[in-house]
Amino acid sequence: LFRSLKVSVNTAGVVKRERRVQRPPRKMATTKEEDVQMMLVCKTHLGTRNVDYRMKRYVFRRTVDGIHIIHLGKTWEKLMVAARMIVAIENPNDIIVASQRPYGSRAVLKFSQYTGANPLAGRWTPGTLTNQITQKYLEPRLLIVTDPRTDNQALKEASYASIPVIALCDTDSPLENVDVAIPANNKGKESIALLYWLLAREVQYLRGTLPRSQAWDVMVDSFFWRDPEELMAQEEMDQGYGDNWAAQQQQQQSWEGAAAGGGDNWADMTTAAGGAGDASWDAPAGGADDWSAPAAGQAQGGGW
């Protein structure tokens, strides 16, 4: 009762009590449980057979096959911490998102598109953060990497320049020079795409560009890495499927027309041969020699 009442004193000293209007809580579009279910679908919880001693705190249990299972609750909490670090930087262009792993290249580009970060997908040029003579020299305030093992050069240069690092770490990933480790499966394309999608969505929630009561209309599929050869094959199939079907129908019609119009061709050929069609194939033609009889010269000469 006392919590719902607000006491105010007027100038005459009379105490008035006003009932405070309590607003209903705003309903969030997504919850932690739904995000964890999406992580389970994308196999974010599957680690490796090996485990680093610094990653043991994030391991939930170990399966019969020896694969370590990552605690997805801690993964979600680390994602929220990383999003707050990203939002704390005023200029989004001062954030570098790097991925030398091919499965993370498309996710890095999409994440940078929605957050304004600077993507560096593909090979990391040595000296990007340390060599001031190079044309691609950068001075970021935050570095995000997909795998600490494959992006080792970027981590080393960030440690030289005192740049904080956020990394997606598997159970066997080294944690040297990593400030915020997000425990997750960083080897599957679905897992990497989902982690960057969740991070981009939370950044937009914290910046206020997207209200929490509204779901993000961007699909997770757009963050998935796709093989260029598969894309080319699919485009060729989509473009040439209608033409091939029309050509096959036209060819089938031509065959059917030829079969309907030229059914008596064999009889016409036999009659046009001058009556030779009545002759037997077994009977030799007139004037033909008997192959079994010896030649006349051999008979007179008595042999070779």
PDB file of all heavy atoms in Angstrom, residues 234-260:
ATOM      1  N   GLN A 234      23.118 -22.359 -59.037  1.00  0.00           N
ATOM      2  CA  GLN A 234      21.704 -22.076 -58.820  1.00  0.00           C
ATOM      3  C   GLN A 234      21.194 -21.013 -59.797  1.00  0.00           C
ATOM      4  O   GLN A 234      20.084 -21.116 -60.322  1.00  0.00           O
ATOM      5  CB  GLN A 234      21.490 -21.611 -57.382  1.00  0.00           C
ATOM      6  CG  GLN A 234      20.023 -21.400 -57.017  1.00  0.00           C
ATOM      7  CD  GLN A 234      19.845 -21.032 -55.576  1.00  0.00           C
ATOM      8  OE1 GLN A 234      20.824 -20.927 -54.830  1.00  0.00           O
ATOM      9  NE2 GLN A 234      18.608 -20.842 -55.170  1.00  0.00           N
ATOM     10  N   GLU A 235      22.007 -19.988 -60.061  1.00  0.00           N
ATOM     11  CA  GLU A 235      21.599 -18.958 -61.018  1.00  0.00           C
ATOM     12  C   GLU A 235      21.456 -19.537 -62.426  1.00  0.00           C
ATOM     13  O   GLU A 235      20.509 -19.220 -63.151  1.00  0.00           O
ATOM     14  CB  GLU A 235      22.613 -17.825 -61.009  1.00  0.00           C
ATOM     15  CG  GLU A 235      22.582 -16.986 -59.724  1.00  0.00           C
ATOM     16  CD  GLU A 235      23.613 -15.886 -59.745  1.00  0.00           C
ATOM     17  OE1 GLU A 235      24.366 -15.825 -60.761  1.00  0.00           O
ATOM     18  OE2 GLU A 235      23.700 -15.108 -58.787  1.00  0.00           O
ATOM     19  N   GLU A 236      22.407 -20.377 -62.813  1.00  0.00           N
ATOM     20  CA  GLU A 236      22.304 -20.994 -64.131  1.00  0.00           C
ATOM     21  C   GLU A 236      21.065 -21.886 -64.228  1.00  0.00           C
ATOM     22  O   GLU A 236      20.394 -21.925 -65.261  1.00  0.00           O
ATOM     23  CB  GLU A 236      23.569 -21.805 -64.412  1.00  0.00           C
ATOM     24  CG  GLU A 236      24.826 -20.941 -64.601  1.00  0.00           C
ATOM     25  CD  GLU A 236      26.051 -21.793 -64.808  1.00  0.00           C
ATOM     26  OE1 GLU A 236      25.917 -23.038 -64.734  1.00  0.00           O
ATOM     27  OE2 GLU A 236      27.132 -21.226 -65.027  1.00  0.00           O
ATOM     28  N   MET A 237      20.767 -22.589 -63.147  1.00  0.00           N
ATOM     29  CA  MET A 237      19.592 -23.448 -63.165  1.00  0.00           C
ATOM     30  C   MET A 237      18.308 -22.618 -63.256  1.00  0.00           C
ATOM     31  O   MET A 237      17.385 -22.953 -64.006  1.00  0.00           O
ATOM     32  CB  MET A 237      19.561 -24.303 -61.899  1.00  0.00           C
ATOM     33  CG  MET A 237      18.422 -25.308 -61.846  1.00  0.00           C
ATOM     34  SD  MET A 237      18.436 -26.254 -60.320  1.00  0.00           S
ATOM     35  CE  MET A 237      20.008 -27.083 -60.483  1.00  0.00           C
ATOM     36  N   ASP A 238      18.278 -21.501 -62.511  1.00  0.00           N
ATOM     37  CA  ASP A 238      17.082 -20.655 -62.548  1.00  0.00           C
ATOM     38  C   ASP A 238      16.902 -19.995 -63.911  1.00  0.00           C
ATOM     39  O   ASP A 238      15.784 -19.851 -64.404  1.00  0.00           O
ATOM     40  CB  ASP A 238      17.162 -19.577 -61.471  1.00  0.00           C
ATOM     41  CG  ASP A 238      17.133 -20.176 -60.073  1.00  0.00           C
ATOM     42  OD1 ASP A 238      16.686 -21.330 -59.957  1.00  0.00           O
ATOM     43  OD2 ASP A 238      17.576 -19.504 -59.122  1.00  0.00           O
ATOM     44  N   GLN A 239      18.000 -19.597 -64.546  1.00  0.00           N
ATOM     45  CA  GLN A 239      17.903 -18.917 -65.836  1.00  0.00           C
ATOM     46  C   GLN A 239      17.623 -19.884 -66.978  1.00  0.00           C
ATOM     47  O   GLN A 239      16.835 -19.594 -67.871  1.00  0.00           O
ATOM     48  CB  GLN A 239      19.192 -18.139 -66.117  1.00  0.00           C
ATOM     49  CG  GLN A 239      19.401 -16.962 -65.180  1.00  0.00           C
ATOM     50  CD  GLN A 239      20.715 -16.263 -65.446  1.00  0.00           C
ATOM     51  OE1 GLN A 239      21.471 -16.669 -66.337  1.00  0.00           O
ATOM     52  NE2 GLN A 239      21.003 -15.230 -64.687  1.00  0.00           N
ATOM     53  N   GLY A 240      18.268 -21.041 -66.967  1.00  0.00           N
ATOM     54  CA  GLY A 240      18.150 -21.953 -68.097  1.00  0.00           C
ATOM     55  C   GLY A 240      17.105 -23.022 -67.965  1.00  0.00           C
ATOM     56  O   GLY A 240      16.923 -23.830 -68.875  1.00  0.00           O
ATOM     57  N   TYR A 241      16.393 -23.045 -66.843  1.00  0.00           N
ATOM     58  CA  TYR A 241      15.404 -24.106 -66.658  1.00  0.00           C
ATOM     59  C   TYR A 241      14.234 -23.943 -67.619  1.00  0.00           C
ATOM     60  O   TYR A 241      13.812 -24.901 -68.270  1.00  0.00           O
ATOM     61  CB  TYR A 241      14.894 -24.094 -65.211  1.00  0.00           C
ATOM     62  CG  TYR A 241      13.908 -25.192 -64.922  1.00  0.00           C
ATOM     63  CD1 TYR A 241      14.323 -26.501 -64.764  1.00  0.00           C
ATOM     64  CD2 TYR A 241      12.541 -24.904 -64.820  1.00  0.00           C
ATOM     65  CE1 TYR A 241      13.416 -27.509 -64.503  1.00  0.00           C
ATOM     66  CE2 TYR A 241      11.626 -25.914 -64.557  1.00  0.00           C
ATOM     67  CZ  TYR A 241      12.074 -27.210 -64.408  1.00  0.00           C
ATOM     68  OH  TYR A 241      11.173 -28.212 -64.151  1.00  0.00           O
ATOM     69  N   GLY A 242      13.739 -22.706 -67.789  1.00  0.00           N
ATOM     70  CA  GLY A 242      12.612 -22.481 -68.692  1.00  0.00           C
ATOM     71  C   GLY A 242      12.994 -22.713 -70.150  1.00  0.00           C
ATOM     72  O   GLY A 242      12.248 -23.327 -70.915  1.00  0.00           O
ATOM     73  N   ASP A 243      14.210 -22.251 -70.538  1.00  0.00           N
ATOM     74  CA  ASP A 243      14.645 -22.451 -71.923  1.00  0.00           C
ATOM     75  C   ASP A 243      14.843 -23.927 -72.236  1.00  0.00           C
ATOM     76  O   ASP A 243      14.458 -24.405 -73.309  1.00  0.00           O
ATOM     77  CB  ASP A 243      15.942 -21.672 -72.162  1.00  0.00           C
ATOM     78  CG  ASP A 243      15.743 -20.171 -71.930  1.00  0.00           C
ATOM     79  OD1 ASP A 243      14.582 -19.714 -71.995  1.00  0.00           O
ATOM     80  OD2 ASP A 243      16.748 -19.482 -71.673  1.00  0.00           O
ATOM     81  N   ASN A 244      15.450 -24.664 -71.308  1.00  0.00           N
ATOM     82  CA  ASN A 244      15.664 -26.093 -71.554  1.00  0.00           C
ATOM     83  C   ASN A 244      14.343 -26.838 -71.655  1.00  0.00           C
ATOM     84  O   ASN A 244      14.179 -27.743 -72.474  1.00  0.00           O
ATOM     85  CB  ASN A 244      16.516 -26.687 -70.424  1.00  0.00           C
ATOM     86  CG  ASN A 244      17.919 -26.127 -70.432  1.00  0.00           C
ATOM     87  OD1 ASN A 244      18.407 -25.674 -71.463  1.00  0.00           O
ATOM     88  ND2 ASN A 244      18.583 -26.152 -69.279  1.00  0.00           N
ATOM     89  N   TRP A 245      13.376 -26.452 -70.831  1.00  0.00           N
ATOM     90  CA  TRP A 245      12.086 -27.129 -70.878  1.00  0.00           C
ATOM     91  C   TRP A 245      11.386 -26.866 -72.202  1.00  0.00           C
ATOM     92  O   TRP A 245      10.817 -27.767 -72.812  1.00  0.00           O
ATOM     93  CB  TRP A 245      11.228 -26.633 -69.709  1.00  0.00           C
ATOM     94  CG  TRP A 245       9.908 -27.326 -69.636  1.00  0.00           C
ATOM     95  CD1 TRP A 245       9.636 -28.544 -69.118  1.00  0.00           C
ATOM     96  CD2 TRP A 245       8.660 -26.807 -70.121  1.00  0.00           C
ATOM     97  NE1 TRP A 245       8.304 -28.846 -69.229  1.00  0.00           N
ATOM     98  CE2 TRP A 245       7.669 -27.795 -69.841  1.00  0.00           C
ATOM     99  CE3 TRP A 245       8.271 -25.628 -70.753  1.00  0.00           C
ATOM    100  CZ2 TRP A 245       6.329 -27.613 -70.183  1.00  0.00           C
ATOM    101  CZ3 TRP A 245       6.932 -25.458 -71.083  1.00  0.00           C
ATOM    102  CH2 TRP A 245       5.986 -26.446 -70.804  1.00  0.00           C
ATOM    103  N   ALA A 246      11.454 -25.618 -72.706  1.00  0.00           N
ATOM    104  CA  ALA A 246      10.836 -25.297 -73.990  1.00  0.00           C
ATOM    105  C   ALA A 246      11.527 -26.040 -75.134  1.00  0.00           C
ATOM    106  O   ALA A 246      10.877 -26.539 -76.058  1.00  0.00           O
ATOM    107  CB  ALA A 246      10.874 -23.787 -74.225  1.00  0.00           C
ATOM    108  N   ALA A 247      12.869 -26.132 -75.074  1.00  0.00           N
ATOM    109  CA  ALA A 247      13.596 -26.840 -76.132  1.00  0.00           C
ATOM    110  C   ALA A 247      13.243 -28.327 -76.127  1.00  0.00           C
ATOM    111  O   ALA A 247      13.083 -28.943 -77.185  1.00  0.00           O
ATOM    112  CB  ALA A 247      15.099 -26.644 -75.944  1.00  0.00           C
ATOM    113  N   GLN A 248      13.116 -28.916 -74.933  1.00  0.00           N
ATOM    114  CA  GLN A 248      12.755 -30.326 -74.870  1.00  0.00           C
ATOM    115  C   GLN A 248      11.349 -30.573 -75.412  1.00  0.00           C
ATOM    116  O   GLN A 248      11.110 -31.548 -76.117  1.00  0.00           O
ATOM    117  CB  GLN A 248      12.853 -30.807 -73.424  1.00  0.00           C
ATOM    118  CG  GLN A 248      14.281 -30.877 -72.894  1.00  0.00           C
ATOM    119  CD  GLN A 248      14.332 -31.296 -71.439  1.00  0.00           C
ATOM    120  OE1 GLN A 248      13.292 -31.567 -70.837  1.00  0.00           O
ATOM    121  NE2 GLN A 248      15.529 -31.345 -70.880  1.00  0.00           N
ATOM    122  N   GLN A 249      10.419 -29.669 -75.120  1.00  0.00           N
ATOM    123  CA  GLN A 249       9.064 -29.832 -75.639  1.00  0.00           C
ATOM    124  C   GLN A 249       9.043 -29.721 -77.159  1.00  0.00           C
ATOM    125  O   GLN A 249       8.367 -30.492 -77.852  1.00  0.00           O
ATOM    126  CB  GLN A 249       8.148 -28.756 -75.018  1.00  0.00           C
ATOM    127  CG  GLN A 249       7.889 -28.956 -73.534  1.00  0.00           C
ATOM    128  CD  GLN A 249       7.083 -30.206 -73.272  1.00  0.00           C
ATOM    129  OE1 GLN A 249       6.219 -30.567 -74.072  1.00  0.00           O
ATOM    130  NE2 GLN A 249       7.361 -30.871 -72.163  1.00  0.00           N
ATOM    131  N   GLN A 250       9.808 -28.766 -77.696  1.00  0.00           N
ATOM    132  CA  GLN A 250       9.844 -28.596 -79.153  1.00  0.00           C
ATOM    133  C   GLN A 250      10.468 -29.811 -79.829  1.00  0.00           C
ATOM    134  O   GLN A 250       9.993 -30.278 -80.875  1.00  0.00           O
ATOM    135  CB  GLN A 250      10.632 -27.323 -79.486  1.00  0.00           C
ATOM    136  CG  GLN A 250      10.635 -26.986 -80.972  1.00  0.00           C
ATOM    137  CD  GLN A 250      11.369 -25.692 -81.234  1.00  0.00           C
ATOM    138  OE1 GLN A 250      11.919 -25.092 -80.306  1.00  0.00           O
ATOM    139  NE2 GLN A 250      11.396 -25.284 -82.495  1.00  0.00           N
ATOM    140  N   GLN A 251      11.523 -30.355 -79.234  1.00  0.00           N
ATOM    141  CA  GLN A 251      12.155 -31.530 -79.815  1.00  0.00           C
ATOM    142  C   GLN A 251      11.228 -32.736 -79.763  1.00  0.00           C
ATOM    143  O   GLN A 251      11.156 -33.525 -80.717  1.00  0.00           O
ATOM    144  CB  GLN A 251      13.449 -31.828 -79.054  1.00  0.00           C
ATOM    145  CG  GLN A 251      14.254 -32.971 -79.648  1.00  0.00           C
ATOM    146  CD  GLN A 251      15.547 -33.180 -78.898  1.00  0.00           C
ATOM    147  OE1 GLN A 251      15.789 -32.527 -77.880  1.00  0.00           O
ATOM    148  NE2 GLN A 251      16.379 -34.073 -79.388  1.00  0.00           N
ATOM    149  N   GLN A 252      10.480 -32.876 -78.683  1.00  0.00           N
ATOM    150  CA  GLN A 252       9.553 -33.998 -78.583  1.00  0.00           C
ATOM    151  C   GLN A 252       8.434 -33.885 -79.612  1.00  0.00           C
ATOM    152  O   GLN A 252       8.040 -34.884 -80.223  1.00  0.00           O
ATOM    153  CB  GLN A 252       8.972 -34.035 -77.160  1.00  0.00           C
ATOM    154  CG  GLN A 252       8.060 -35.231 -76.918  1.00  0.00           C
ATOM    155  CD  GLN A 252       7.570 -35.271 -75.490  1.00  0.00           C
ATOM    156  OE1 GLN A 252       7.913 -34.394 -74.698  1.00  0.00           O
ATOM    157  NE2 GLN A 252       6.782 -36.282 -75.165  1.00  0.00           N
ATOM    158  N   GLN A 253       7.950 -32.668 -79.838  1.00  0.00           N
ATOM    159  CA  GLN A 253       6.914 -32.477 -80.845  1.00  0.00           C
ATOM    160  C   GLN A 253       7.429 -32.802 -82.247  1.00  0.00           C
ATOM    161  O   GLN A 253       6.717 -33.378 -83.073  1.00  0.00           O
ATOM    162  CB  GLN A 253       6.390 -31.041 -80.789  1.00  0.00           C
ATOM    163  CG  GLN A 253       5.596 -30.732 -79.515  1.00  0.00           C
ATOM    164  CD  GLN A 253       5.161 -29.292 -79.457  1.00  0.00           C
ATOM    165  OE1 GLN A 253       5.459 -28.528 -80.382  1.00  0.00           O
ATOM    166  NE2 GLN A 253       4.490 -28.900 -78.376  1.00  0.00           N
ATOM    167  N   SER A 254       8.675 -32.429 -82.540  1.00  0.00           N
ATOM    168  CA  SER A 254       9.243 -32.735 -83.858  1.00  0.00           C
ATOM    169  C   SER A 254       9.377 -34.233 -84.070  1.00  0.00           C
ATOM    170  O   SER A 254       9.116 -34.761 -85.149  1.00  0.00           O
ATOM    171  CB  SER A 254      10.598 -32.038 -84.011  1.00  0.00           C
ATOM    172  OG  SER A 254      11.524 -32.545 -83.066  1.00  0.00           O
ATOM    173  N   TRP A 255       9.769 -34.955 -83.005  1.00  0.00           N
ATOM    174  CA  TRP A 255       9.876 -36.408 -83.131  1.00  0.00           C
ATOM    175  C   TRP A 255       8.497 -37.030 -83.341  1.00  0.00           C
ATOM    176  O   TRP A 255       8.341 -37.961 -84.134  1.00  0.00           O
ATOM    177  CB  TRP A 255      10.525 -36.994 -81.874  1.00  0.00           C
ATOM    178  CG  TRP A 255      12.016 -36.883 -81.863  1.00  0.00           C
ATOM    179  CD1 TRP A 255      12.765 -36.023 -81.136  1.00  0.00           C
ATOM    180  CD2 TRP A 255      12.928 -37.665 -82.625  1.00  0.00           C
ATOM    181  NE1 TRP A 255      14.089 -36.199 -81.401  1.00  0.00           N
ATOM    182  CE2 TRP A 255      14.236 -37.214 -82.312  1.00  0.00           C
ATOM    183  CE3 TRP A 255      12.783 -38.700 -83.552  1.00  0.00           C
ATOM    184  CZ2 TRP A 255      15.369 -37.754 -82.875  1.00  0.00           C
ATOM    185  CZ3 TRP A 255      13.927 -39.247 -84.120  1.00  0.00           C
ATOM    186  CH2 TRP A 255      15.195 -38.764 -83.790  1.00  0.00           C
ATOM    187  N   GLU A 256       7.503 -36.540 -82.629  1.00  0.00           N
ATOM    188  CA  GLU A 256       6.164 -37.081 -82.799  1.00  0.00           C
ATOM    189  C   GLU A 256       5.616 -36.801 -84.199  1.00  0.00           C
ATOM    190  O   GLU A 256       4.978 -37.653 -84.812  1.00  0.00           O
ATOM    191  CB  GLU A 256       5.234 -36.478 -81.731  1.00  0.00           C
ATOM    192  CG  GLU A 256       5.542 -36.942 -80.317  1.00  0.00           C
ATOM    193  CD  GLU A 256       4.669 -36.250 -79.291  1.00  0.00           C
ATOM    194  OE1 GLU A 256       3.896 -35.362 -79.706  1.00  0.00           O
ATOM    195  OE2 GLU A 256       4.748 -36.604 -78.100  1.00  0.00           O
ATOM    196  N   GLY A 257       5.910 -35.603 -84.734  1.00  0.00           N
ATOM    197  CA  GLY A 257       5.450 -35.286 -86.084  1.00  0.00           C
ATOM    198  C   GLY A 257       6.124 -36.154 -87.129  1.00  0.00           C
ATOM    199  O   GLY A 257       5.503 -36.611 -88.092  1.00  0.00           O
ATOM    200  N   ALA A 258       7.412 -36.400 -86.959  1.00  0.00           N
ATOM    201  CA  ALA A 258       8.129 -37.245 -87.914  1.00  0.00           C
ATOM    202  C   ALA A 258       7.615 -38.680 -87.869  1.00  0.00           C
ATOM    203  O   ALA A 258       7.493 -39.353 -88.894  1.00  0.00           O
ATOM    204  CB  ALA A 258       9.630 -37.206 -87.614  1.00  0.00           C
ATOM    205  N   ALA A 259       7.282 -39.158 -86.664  1.00  0.00           N
ATOM    206  CA  ALA A 259       6.773 -40.527 -86.562  1.00  0.00           C
ATOM    207  C   ALA A 259       5.382 -40.652 -87.172  1.00  0.00           C
ATOM    208  O   ALA A 259       5.032 -41.662 -87.773  1.00  0.00           O
ATOM    209  CB  ALA A 259       6.734 -40.951 -85.087  1.00  0.00           C
ATOM    210  N   ALA A 260       4.574 -39.585 -87.062  1.00  0.00           N
ATOM    211  CA  ALA A 260       3.220 -39.652 -87.622  1.00  0.00           C
ATOM    212  C   ALA A 260       3.221 -39.515 -89.136  1.00  0.00           C
ATOM    213  O   ALA A 260       2.434 -40.143 -89.835  1.00  0.00           O
ATOM    214  CB  ALA A 260       2.348 -38.540 -87.003  1.00  0.00           C
TER     215      ALA A 260
END
